[in-house]
Amino acid sequence: SGIIFAMGSQKLLLNIRAEMREPARADAALRLALALYGAIYLAVVLLCGPSPPGLLLDAVPLGDARRLAGFLLWLHVAVSYAINSQALCSSLAASRGGGGDGGG
């Protein structure tokens, strides 16, 4: 279920397609992005070996590196929230005839 959660950004495709210069290429862009993401995920799984840590930050030793990793993870979540919120608001505005840029 973790991989499905991590790849949840495909719901933004309609908004991204509305912003693209060539919207007809959105499907190809999504296929490429998901293939690359899947390949990177598979590489990480294979590199972790038979007993990976239960939590992401457990793979980072205590100290400054772990604090930096925690901050970067927090930053990732904050940016993801902002992107998802903008896409949702844009879609709602467009659906209500409010002139939002995003489709969907």
Side-chain angles (χ1 to χ4, degrees):
S1 67
I3 184 75
I4 293 170
F5 174 75
M7 294 176 72
S9 61
Q10 78 272 12
K11 65 186 171 287
L12 300 174
L13 179 64
L14 296 175
N15 295 82
I16 292 169
R17 183 173 47 196
E19 301 286 330
M20 290 179 74
R21 234 179 274 150
E22 297 179 45
R25 297 181 65 193
D27 292 342
L30 180 63
R31 279 194 296 275
L32 177 62
L34 292 178
L36 285 172
Y37 185 88
I40 292 169
Y41 182 83
L42 182 60
V44 168
V45 167
L46 293 174
L47 290 172
C48 281
S51 58
L55 299 173
L56 177 65
L57 288 179
D58 289 343
V60 182
L62 292 174
D64 290 337
R66 191 168 187 152
R67 280 191 284 280
L68 177 61
F71 172 74
L72 292 174
L73 183 60
W74 176 85
L75 190 63
H76 165 71
V77 170
V79 168
S80 296
Y81 177 79
I83 290 170
N84 281 302
S85 295
Q86 188 279 333
L88 175 64
C89 291
S90 179
S91 291
L92 288 173
S95 71
R96 297 183 191 282
D101 293 327

